[in-house]
Amino acid sequence: MRNELKSLIAASVVFACGDNGGRDDGGASATLTPPTSSPTTVTATEPGTASETAGPTSETPTMGTGSDSNATTQSPTDPTEGVTGTSVTASGGPKFDLGITPDGGMACSGGGGGEPDFSYIWIANSGQGTMSKINTVNLVEEGRYIVRPDSAGNPSRTSVNLSGDVVIANRSGGLTKVYAQAERCADTNGMPGIQTAVDANYLPWGVEECVAWYTPMSYISQRPVAWTQGNFNKATCQWENQKIWTSGNNDDFVNADNQLDVLLVNGDTGAIEATVNVVGVNPDYYGIYGAAVDGNGNFWGSQLGVGQLVFIDRQSLQVKMWPMAMSGYGMTVDSKGYVWTCSGSGAARFDPMTETWQTVVVSGGGGCMEDGAGTLYMSGNPNVIIAVDTETMVQKDVLNVPSYVHGISIDFYGYVWGVTLSEPYAYRVHPIMKTVDTFTGLTAPYTYSDMTGFALSNAGSPSG
């Protein structure tokens, strides 16, 4: 089951290809022209409230990439500037000394290639019931979306697929997909054109047309969400058969029946295609807390505390479980197929081949993600991002940030992102130069899953 170090699949960058706007499926030879200058702080426009956006405004947002009027500075630092001798020879990770960041793939059959169309990080504003779409290059918020009809879903985990679209789980139940690009959105509200948010001022539910679908689910705790890769069609230059894993639980601390559900959802329609009842996990309110997929789209889920690591085969839906070696909070699957759980105690690495754990004790926090080149970045205390060598299992670096970050993600230019817990900030950190850029304007953020799609890309793609 272990995936030996793979080159990044086409998800690494987004190429124009017809009207799909997705990521192609070639090797790691395509290149990007990196950003050239650096903001220090970008502030979102004042978000609208539900009452302020109860109806269409006089200037209805239409199709487009959003206004950059709320940006106070320009685009981010060239990650190659002033950095030498840091080439990563193994395929799969960002390379900061080449004048380019070749973490992308060849154009799909029939053309494509060139500059990426978009690169976003998607962050849940849990206290507002919304989700923000932030451009990772210029730090501009290009959309904000209500993610449950009643705005009371308490959203948290986001997951981005290889087409660039996002799905978000509501902790109080329900799953929502949002399109990344307005040209994919459908005219559903009866008004001419496409109405969609272009900044922090979100539109009412039913007016916003880039919400692809919403699937209600009756769970007291629904946290994990993770896309599968799907299959890339070279003839159409599109990803197809993309599915979503999620999990829900209706146990509570008093009336626990020691059972929870893992669901496989159709990524195009939101229809539930399979429900797996997982029996034998430690009963608690949260059920499965974190989730990710491996290179074959199999489900891996972890529990909060020292519970069970749960595996579900994508094809057969068979379940396997192992006791966790360390408390789990954040979790990820790396480029070699190792499964990681991360928490305040440190990080634990599970090898699916040998079914064994190794641990590293560091002053951790919440989420974690690997960069594709042997470094796991994880939330740390007090105000740091900790870098751990994924082979030697030792801490090798620390990135300082202005305040505690709970969520960790990596974008397709190789920057490490930290998302605060409840404070309005997200930090973009250059992992070599250690410069920090700040986005402010979030509303009680709470996300520490695959916010950019890099982790899904990093895990690889099915071989058949």
Side-chain angles (χ1 to χ4, degrees):
M1 289 168 60
R2 179 189 296 177
N3 302 314
E4 294 305 323
L5 185 62
K6 300 176 179 179
S7 60
L8 286 181
I9 56 175
S12 298
V13 289
V14 184
F15 288 113
C17 181
D19 59 1
N20 178 52
R23 299 174 170 95
D24 65 62
D25 72 335
S29 59
T31 60
L32 295 173
T33 301
T36 57
S37 60
S38 177
T40 54
T41 301
V42 173
T43 303
T45 55
E46 183 67 24
T49 64
S51 60
E52 291 171 338
T53 56
T57 62
S58 59
E59 295 182 3
T60 305
T62 56
M63 291 175 61
T65 58
S67 168
D68 61 359
S69 59
N70 53 356
T72 58
T73 49
Q74 297 178 343
S75 52
T77 302
D78 181 343
T80 68
E81 183 178 350
V83 181
T84 58
T86 57
S87 177
V88 178
T89 56
S91 60
K95 305 170 180 64
F96 288 102
D97 67 335
L98 305 180
I100 52 177
T101 308
D103 56 356
M106 292 291 289
C108 67
S109 176
E115 295 297 314
D117 290 335
F118 56 85
S119 175
Y120 295 123
I121 185 168
W122 301 80
I123 300 173
N125 299 294
S126 296
Q128 192 182 52
T130 67
M131 174 177 59
S132 292
K133 178 178 73 174
I134 301 166
N135 188 309
T136 67
V137 176
N138 59 21
L139 273 69
V140 171
E141 183 168 4
E142 295 186 4
R144 188 173 294 207
Y145 312 90
I146 297 173
V147 294
R148 206 171 84 158
D150 61 2
S151 301
N154 194 11
S156 173
R157 319 305 196 264
T158 62
S159 180
V160 181
N161 67 16
L162 300 188
S163 302
D165 300 322
V166 68
V167 67
I168 185 168
N170 288 279
R171 283 180 285 188
S172 298
L175 202 64
T176 303
K177 177 183 176 181
V178 177
Y179 289 118
Q181 293 181 299
E183 52 262 37
R184 302 186 201 177
C185 309
D187 188 354
T188 57
N189 64 15
M191 304 179 193
I194 298 296
Q195 282 73 51
T196 186
V198 295
D199 52 27
N201 295 286
Y202 53 88
L203 301 183
W205 186 269
V207 175
E208 172 61 62
E209 293 181 307
C210 283
V211 172
W213 49 255
Y214 165 71
T215 300
M217 297 184 184
S218 298
Y219 293 111
I220 62 173
S221 174
Q222 184 176 354
R223 280 154 166 85
V225 64
W227 282 95
T228 69
Q229 294 86 346
N231 309 109
F232 188 74
N233 186 330
K234 290 186 177 180
T236 62
C237 196
Q238 292 184 350
W239 288 95
E240 300 173 345
N241 199 34
Q242 296 169 308
K243 309 294 184 183
I244 301 155
W245 291 104
T246 189
S247 180
N249 183 44
N250 276 322
D251 291 350
D252 57 33
F253 292 110
V254 177
N255 301 303
D257 61 9
N258 202 24
Q259 179 173 312
L260 54 83
D261 298 331
V262 175
L263 304 102
L264 190 65
V265 178
N266 185 299
D268 293 326
T269 66
I272 299 171
E273 295 187 342
T275 300
V276 181
N277 299 125
V278 180
V279 180
V281 298
N282 295 340
D284 63 24
Y285 173 86
Y286 300 106
I288 293 179
Y289 206 71
V293 302
D294 60 25
N296 289 314
N298 301 314
F299 173 89
W300 291 91
S302 61
Q303 289 196 277
L304 186 64
V306 185
Q308 299 288 316
L309 180 69
V310 179
F311 168 84
I312 301 179
D313 185 272
R314 165 70 181 83
Q315 301 301 323
S316 68
L317 300 181
Q318 292 183 333
V319 181
K320 293 186 71 175
M321 291 185 291
W322 301 266
M324 290 167 53
M326 185 179 284
S327 176
Y329 206 101
M331 68 96 64
T332 190
V333 175
D334 72 16
S335 57
K336 290 189 176 181
Y338 291 117
V339 182
W340 292 82
T341 64
C342 304
S343 68
S345 304
R349 186 189 75 183
F350 181 76
D351 185 339
M353 288 288 287
T354 63
E355 302 185 10
T356 58
W357 290 93
Q358 286 186 279
T359 61
V360 54
V361 177
V362 295
S363 182
C368 56
M369 187 179 293
E370 191 241 0
D371 68 351
T375 300
L376 180 83
Y377 291 98
M378 60 180 293
S379 166
N381 276 300
N383 300 333
V384 296
I385 297 172
I386 298 171
V388 173
D389 189 296
T390 59
E391 289 298 326
T392 64
M393 298 293 290
V394 297
Q395 179 177 327
K396 65 180 186 180
D397 204 356
V398 171
L399 308 177
N400 293 301
V401 287
S403 58
Y404 171 75
V405 294
H406 200 59
I408 299 294
S409 194
I410 296 171
D411 69 24
F412 290 100
Y413 291 94
Y415 289 91
V416 181
W417 285 76
V419 178
T420 57
L421 183 63
S422 298
E423 293 184 304
Y425 309 119
Y427 304 117
R428 185 187 62 196
V429 186
H430 192 300
I432 298 172
M433 300 177 68
K434 300 186 178 181
T435 54
V436 179
D437 299 316
T438 300
F439 176 87
T440 183
L442 300 170
T443 305
Y446 193 84
T447 304
Y448 49 96
S449 49
D450 185 12
M451 298 172 260
T452 62
F454 181 85
L456 178 62
S457 168
N458 191 38
S461 60
S463 57

